[in-house]
């Protein structure tokens, strides 16, 4: 099993560490399932005429509104009550969201359910990466941090597959099982030692770290390393922009989150089925979406295995170049279809190939890494608030892209829309090349020292 291989390969961690990581992945799985649920649910609700086109657009984008609220909420909760209990609480809005879907069919309740589910998603985006980063060893942080995105992709894939055989109500019933399991599993996790030290609870921090590390590890030594880089001062959102050691990592994280959304990923995921139907795959659209989901899982898993060897920068640059190319080809197909339908009809597999390349490219770089970077570059005393700001920004732009995708596509045309995504992806490559430092193989304390200017982190 994967967990046994992980334990054998990295003997510095315990079985409690492995089960805690697995428990932390329930939230991201639910995140992915909710995201993937949109595509088959929208197609079914449009076909039954329960929703019209504009309502369907709101159904897809309401999740992002909730996520914008959930990020700041989690930023406060993880600092006040800890990473563990925040993750445990996330199960509540997830369960409520699915219950609203299963209630009497009503457009307003559908919108409300998506907002509530979005709140849980926003909270997950803050709490899960922070928890994983703070309990991980430096040699495992990249792999486990990218596995947050892997859990999301598995959730998306499961939703696509179930969408081929279940209606939207049956899918909602399955969805409610996940947070129920998460609620009980997260109760058994230890709190992160860094948060406990931040709160002045040293004995509990030692006990937590002892559970997370193997018996051969020098827990006291690791605790001292954490304490040396620990800053217990409280900080406001206004102060974060006044301190260079915080303003620069915030600028980097916000930029990565914005550029991630401007690749068009959420537009593709929310409207995967309609895109393929428009491309001529009327009877195979769900199958095409399942292919996309499987591609995400495969490439996200592969990148999780090489993240700590290759590094974040190289994966973002190579992924960004490939994203730009695939969007350009997809846009070119739509341009050809508009001006020469007969030629385009002979190339109708091109949208599927282009989108598979797009998803693979996103999965090796711009999918897992922005959230991983977010969990690494902020100091402990500002990690909750700064991560909340990053997640709010991410979901704000996700809302804009998702809500306006159809409008922009109708105004500019599909070709020009995908060419625009191509340009944004290429811009991301330049940003990474000139601005982003490499964080692989560095402890969280060493990364914090880099932004304080006390050490050099090679670019």
């Amino acid at each position: 099993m994967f967990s046994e291989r992980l334990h054998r390969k990295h003997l510095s961690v315990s079985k409690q560490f492995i089960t805690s990581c697995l428990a932390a992945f329930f939230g991201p799985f639910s995140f992915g399932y909710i995201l993937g649920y949109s595509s088959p649910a929208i197609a079914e609700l449009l076909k039954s005429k329960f929703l019209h086109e504009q309502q369907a657009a709101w159904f897809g984008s309401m999740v992002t509104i909730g996520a914008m609220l959930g990020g700041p909420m989690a930023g406060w909760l993880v600092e006040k009550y800890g990473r563990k209990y925040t993750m445990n609480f996330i199960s509540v809005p997830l369960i409520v969201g699915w219950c609203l879907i299963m209630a009497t069919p009503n457009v307003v309740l559908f919108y409300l359910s998506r907002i509530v589910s979005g709140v849980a998603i926003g909270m997950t985006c803050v709490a899960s990466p922070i928890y994983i980063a703070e309990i991980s060893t430096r040699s495992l942080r990249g792999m486990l941090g990218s596995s947050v995105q892997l859990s999301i992709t598995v959730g998306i894939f499961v939703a696509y597959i179930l969408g081929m055989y279940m209606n939207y109500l049956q899918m909602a019933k399955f969805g409610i099982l996940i947070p129920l399991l998460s609620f009980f599993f997260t109760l058994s996790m230890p709190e992160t030692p860094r948060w406990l030290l931040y709160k002045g609870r040293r004995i509990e921090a030692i006990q937590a770290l002892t559970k997370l590390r193997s018996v051969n590890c020098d827990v006291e030594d690791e605790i001292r390393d954490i304490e040396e880089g620990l800053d217990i001062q409280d900080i406001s959102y206004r102060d974060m922009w006044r301190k260079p050691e915080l303003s620069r990592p915030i600028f980097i994280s916000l930029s990565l989150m914005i550029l991630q959304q401007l690749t068009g990923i959420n537009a593709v995921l929310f409207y995967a089925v309609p895109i393929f139907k428009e491309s001529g795959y009327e009877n195979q659209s769900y199958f095409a979406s399942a292919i996309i989901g499987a591609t995400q899982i495969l490439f996200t898993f592969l990148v999780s295995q090489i993240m700590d060897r290759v590094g974040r920068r190289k994966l973002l640059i190579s992924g960004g170049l490939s994203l730009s190319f695939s969007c350009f080809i997809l846009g070119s197909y739509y341009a050809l279809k508009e001006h020469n339908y007969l030629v385009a009809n002979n190339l109708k597999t091109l949208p599927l190939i282009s989108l598979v390349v797009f998803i693979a490219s996103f999965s090796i770089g711009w999918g897992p890494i922005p959230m991983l970077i977010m969990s690494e570059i902020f100091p402990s005393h500002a990690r909750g608030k700064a991560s909340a700001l990053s997640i709010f920004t991410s979901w704000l732009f996700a809302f804009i892209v998702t809500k306006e995708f159809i409008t922009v596509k109708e105004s500019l045309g599909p070709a020009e829309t995908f060419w625009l995504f191509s340009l944004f992806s290429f811009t991301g490559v330049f940003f990474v090349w000139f601005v982003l430092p490499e964080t692989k193989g560095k402890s969280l304390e060493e990364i914090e020292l880099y932004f304080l200017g006390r050490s050099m982190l090679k670019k």
Side-chain angles (χ1 to χ4, degrees):
M1 293 174 64
F2 169 73
S3 61
E4 292 176 349
R5 294 199 305 272
L6 178 64
H7 184 56
R8 287 196 302 268
K9 184 178 179 182
H10 301 278
L11 296 176
S12 61
V13 299
S14 65
K15 291 185 178 180
Q16 174 69 68
F17 173 87
I18 295 167
T19 57
S20 297
C21 289
L22 293 175
F25 294 145
F26 274 111
F29 179 89
S30 288
F31 170 4
Y33 188 80
I34 292 167
L35 206 65
Y37 177 83
S38 297
S39 192
I42 285 174
E44 181 183 346
L45 294 170
L46 284 173
K47 186 177 180 180
S48 66
K49 302 192 183 301
F50 183 79
L51 297 179
H52 55 66
E53 287 286 346
Q54 193 62 30
Q55 289 174 323
W58 277 108
F59 182 84
S61 57
M62 281 290 183
V63 168
T64 61
I65 296 175
M68 282 188 280
L69 302 173
M73 188 184 302
W76 178 76
L77 286 171
V78 294
E79 300 293 0
K80 180 73 174 176
Y81 298 105
R83 285 58 162 145
K84 169 186 173 177
Y85 288 111
T86 301
M87 295 173 64
N88 185 250
F89 173 76
I90 289 169
S91 300
V92 176
L94 285 171
I95 292 169
V96 171
W98 291 119
C99 286
L100 288 171
I101 285 280
M102 293 186 290
T104 303
N106 180 285
V107 174
V108 175
L109 284 181
F110 274 27
Y111 287 167
L112 183 59
S113 74
R114 300 297 281 175
I115 293 174
V116 172
S117 296
V119 169
I121 284 177
M123 295 176 71
T124 297
C125 290
V126 173
S128 292
I130 289 178
Y131 184 84
I132 292 294
E134 289 190 347
I135 69 169
S136 294
T137 62
R138 69 180 71 187
S139 63
L140 286 173
R141 197 177 64 243
M143 183 188 76
L144 292 172
S146 57
S147 294
V148 172
Q149 180 68 21
L150 177 61
S151 301
I152 296 171
T153 62
V154 172
I156 293 171
F157 179 70
V158 170
Y160 283 164
I161 294 297
L162 294 183
M164 298 168 64
Y165 304 102
M166 294 182 177
N167 60 38
Y168 76 95
L169 285 174
Q170 292 170 327
M171 290 182 68
K173 291 176 183 177
F174 177 85
I176 206 170
L177 295 175
I178 307 163
L180 285 172
L181 289 172
S182 177
F183 180 83
F184 291 106
F185 275 93
T186 51
L187 284 174
S188 65
M189 302 188 315
E191 184 53 82
T192 72
R194 284 177 173 83
W195 183 81
L196 291 169
L197 287 172
Y198 174 66
K199 291 296 182 179
R201 294 153 61 176
R202 192 177 194 273
I203 294 176
E204 292 177 60
I206 293 172
Q207 291 171 344
L209 193 59
T210 301
K211 291 179 181 178
L212 294 166
R213 300 293 183 258
S214 68
V215 293
N216 299 321
C217 284
D218 187 347
V219 172
E220 279 284 354
D221 190 48
E222 187 172 348
I223 287 289
R224 283 193 294 271
D225 288 342
I226 297 172
E227 286 177 321
E228 285 177 6
L230 195 64
D231 189 345
I232 61 172
Q233 64 174 317
D234 196 14
I235 191 165
S236 67
Y237 281 107
R238 182 182 297 179
D239 291 338
M240 287 194 294
W241 293 105
R242 295 174 176 173
K243 297 187 175 185
E245 67 270 22
L246 279 172
S247 61
R248 188 183 175 196
I250 288 173
F251 168 71
I252 289 172
S253 183
L254 295 188
S255 299
L256 288 176
M257 292 298 185
I258 292 169
L259 289 166
Q260 180 192 54
Q261 297 303 328
L262 292 179
T263 62
I265 181 61
N266 276 311
V268 172
L269 292 178
F270 278 130
Y271 299 105
V273 171
I275 284 174
F276 279 102
K277 284 186 176 179
E278 184 180 312
S279 301
Y281 293 89
E282 185 68 33
N283 299 321
Q284 296 88 27
S285 56
Y286 288 108
F287 176 69
S289 296
I291 290 177
I292 289 178
T295 302
Q296 282 185 297
I297 292 174
L298 173 63
F299 282 89
T300 307
F301 174 77
L302 290 175
V303 81
S304 73
Q305 303 304 300
I306 63 172
M307 180 73 72
D308 289 308
R309 293 198 299 272
V310 177
R312 285 63 159 155
R313 281 170 49 86
K314 290 179 181 178
L315 290 169
L316 282 171
I317 290 170
S318 58
L321 290 172
S322 189
L323 277 173
S324 181
F325 177 75
S326 59
C327 279
F328 178 80
I329 295 299
L330 188 59
S332 299
Y333 167 81
Y334 279 112
L336 190 62
K337 182 179 179 180
E338 181 179 351
H339 298 291
N340 195 330
Y341 180 81
L342 291 177
V343 174
N345 194 48
N346 293 326
L347 299 171
K348 69 178 185 177
T349 58
L350 193 59
L352 176 58
I353 296 171
S354 298
L355 282 180
V356 167
V357 172
F358 176 92
I359 292 296
S361 305
F362 184 81
S363 298
I364 67 170
W366 287 89
I369 296 179
M371 200 179 295
L372 172 62
I373 293 291
M374 178 198 77
S375 70
E376 293 179 321
I377 63 175
F378 299 131
S380 296
H381 67 283
R383 192 164 290 138
K385 289 180 178 178
S387 297
L389 181 61
S390 293
I391 293 303
F392 174 83
T393 303
S394 175
W395 285 105
L396 173 62
F397 277 82
F399 171 75
I400 294 170
V401 172
T402 305
K403 183 67 175 66
E404 299 304 322
F405 173 67
I406 292 176
T407 303
V408 172
K409 191 175 72 167
E410 290 175 351
S411 300
L412 298 180
E416 290 78 4
T417 301
F418 283 105
W419 285 337
L420 187 62
F421 288 147
S422 175
L423 178 62
F424 284 133
S425 297
F426 199 68
T427 303
V429 172
F430 275 90
F431 176 82
V432 172
W433 185 273
F434 291 106
V435 178
L436 181 68
E438 183 57 74
T439 60
K440 74 168 182 175
K442 307 294 180 182
S443 71
L444 296 180
E445 287 68 38
E446 287 173 328
I447 296 169
E448 184 176 348
L449 285 174
Y450 165 73
F451 286 110
L452 281 168
R454 297 177 188 169
S455 67
M456 292 299 295
L457 194 62
K458 185 180 178 182
K459 279 193 172 185

